[in-house]
Amino acid sequence: MHLRSEPSILYFGTPVVLIGTENENGTYNLAPMSSIFWLGWRCMLGLSALSKTTENILRTGQCVLNLPSVHQAAAVNRLARTTGSDPVPAGKQQKGYRYEEDKFGIAGLTPIAAETVTAPRVLECPVHLEAVLAASHDLATDNAAQRGKIVTFEMRITRIHLDESILMQGQDNKVDPDKWRPLIMSFQEFYGLGNKVHPSTLAQIPEHLYRTADIELARE
């Protein structure tokens, strides 16, 4: 039986991402988030308009989307309720956030250089997606109470780095879903993927049929 319900959040389960950005003084910021989805070599991010990550992306036009596996859950959790914004925005103060200058240090993670952007990659994460800003949009502009609080970013991927441990055997350009175990956030809790539950008809479509012109653009 279905009941009418009004959950405060609708995080039904999406991958956790550590967004690496460059601060105005050349240091690095690292922020966990999970409001993200991909289409081809483009992705959409949803972020607070007052976050340091938002400020950095708008200023530099770039970031690195580092995808942790389940093995980095503890490191991601050490970043919880921290912010690179000083002073801490009122909304985050209410939720118990504190300002931290060295996000990599408190997480115990290692920054490494990217190739197409100045934002940092995270050595320990199996997936690094370097990206540049294609467009930004304010969310909920139709509602005065929410207007100006959330920003969505369309990011174009410019370079991808994959740990060889998650690749299909003998294929440099294909992730093996039986090896890749992303960290998933569902209603504020961390989860991993279980075993495959059913054969997929979509998996019979060759992946090269999904290639877009963004891949060639990224080579320029």
Side-chain angles (χ1 to χ4, degrees):
M1 179 177 178
H2 291 75
L3 301 178
R4 181 175 176 176
S5 181
E6 296 181 344
S8 295
I9 57 175
L10 299 178
Y11 295 158
F12 284 97
T14 47
V16 174
V17 180
L18 291 176
I19 304 182
T21 57
E22 185 181 26
N23 296 319
E24 59 275 10
N25 62 0
T27 61
Y28 294 143
N29 189 59
L30 190 64
M33 59 87 75
S34 60
S35 298
I36 186 168
F37 69 88
W38 286 266
L39 288 170
W41 274 41
R42 305 265 169 157
C43 70
M44 294 297 299
L45 315 176
L47 293 165
S48 165
L50 299 178
S51 77
K52 189 64 176 180
T53 297
T54 297
E55 176 187 323
N56 288 345
I57 291 177
L58 287 173
R59 190 187 70 259
T60 66
Q62 57 180 240
C63 69
V64 178
L65 306 170
N66 302 279
L67 276 64
S69 75
V70 292
H71 303 295
Q72 286 82 52
V76 173
N77 197 49
R78 287 192 286 271
L79 290 168
R81 294 202 290 187
T82 67
T83 177
S85 296
D86 184 21
V88 178
K92 289 190 173 183
Q93 287 185 28
Q94 187 181 31
K95 297 181 179 73
Y97 279 68
R98 69 185 190 278
Y99 168 69
E100 288 288 350
E101 181 178 6
D102 183 9
K103 294 288 201 70
F104 275 91
I106 65 169
L109 298 171
T110 311
I112 57 175
E115 295 181 359
T116 64
V117 298
T118 58
R121 296 157 58 195
V122 178
L123 175 64
E124 291 79 5
C125 288
V127 178
H128 309 152
L129 307 175
E130 300 178 20
V132 295
L133 179 62
S136 62
H137 312 272
D138 290 335
L139 195 69
T141 57
D142 61 327
N143 186 291
Q146 299 183 82
R147 190 179 302 131
K149 293 184 177 180
I150 302 175
V151 178
T152 61
F153 292 120
E154 177 190 345
M155 307 298 299
R156 177 173 62 84
I157 308 303
T158 56
R159 190 64 48 86
I160 297 176
H161 309 267
L162 302 174
D163 191 280
E164 60 184 358
S165 66
I166 66 171
L167 292 174
M168 196 79 72
Q169 185 173 0
Q171 299 190 49
D172 293 343
N173 298 320
K174 190 171 184 178
V175 174
D176 188 336
D178 288 327
K179 297 177 180 178
W180 169 227
R181 285 294 175 262
L183 183 62
I184 302 295
M185 176 154 282
S186 178
F187 290 96
Q188 306 288 69
E189 296 285 355
F190 292 123
Y191 293 90
L193 293 181
N195 295 325
K196 188 186 303 181
V197 297
H198 194 279
S200 169
T201 300
L202 286 179
Q204 299 171 14
I205 301 174
E207 284 193 13
H208 73 267
L209 295 179
Y210 293 99
R211 291 178 73 87
T212 69
D214 283 333
I215 298 178
E216 283 64 40
L217 184 60
R219 295 174 178 171
E220 297 178 359

